[in-house]
Amino acid sequence: MGIFFCRLFAPWKAERCFDKLEDFFDFLLRRNRALNAVRVVFFAAAAVCLMLGYAFEPQPYNAVAVGALLVALGLSLVIIQNEKQLPPELQNPKS
């Protein structure tokens, strides 16, 4: 159970859970792609809520936008921690 939680909540510390270092790097790259997709959705939701806040009553839309931005920024911190564990040639891949 500890391995599952380590991979889920602290993937940058999950190196000991893999037999080969390449498998660990592949795991981090897949995780970063997934987290980046979720982060983009949260940024888009925040942008839509901010636009709706300007068009209509701003209070509820702005609160949702702030929440979405906080989650997106938290995901950014996790992605940064994951990238620090990758070798330089695998950081910010072009594909």
Side-chain angles (χ1 to χ4, degrees), residues 5-80:
F5 285 110
C6 185
R7 286 184 179 183
L8 184 64
F9 295 114
W12 57 90
K13 294 183 180 181
E15 183 177 353
R16 60 185 156 89
C17 302
F18 294 92
D19 294 332
K20 295 188 317 186
L21 200 55
E22 292 81 23
D23 293 339
F24 174 62
F25 294 152
D26 289 340
F27 167 74
L28 287 179
L29 289 172
R30 284 191 315 269
R31 181 61 153 249
N32 280 354
R33 281 189 214 111
L35 289 175
N36 191 38
V38 172
R39 181 177 65 166
V40 167
V41 169
F42 275 102
F43 276 128
V48 168
C49 286
L50 286 174
M51 285 186 265
L52 289 173
Y54 284 118
F56 302 109
E57 181 64 32
Q59 189 62 30
Y61 294 112
N62 288 346
V64 172
V66 168
L69 285 174
L70 288 175
V71 171
L73 292 174
L75 290 172
S76 297
L77 293 175
V78 172
I79 291 171
I80 290 169

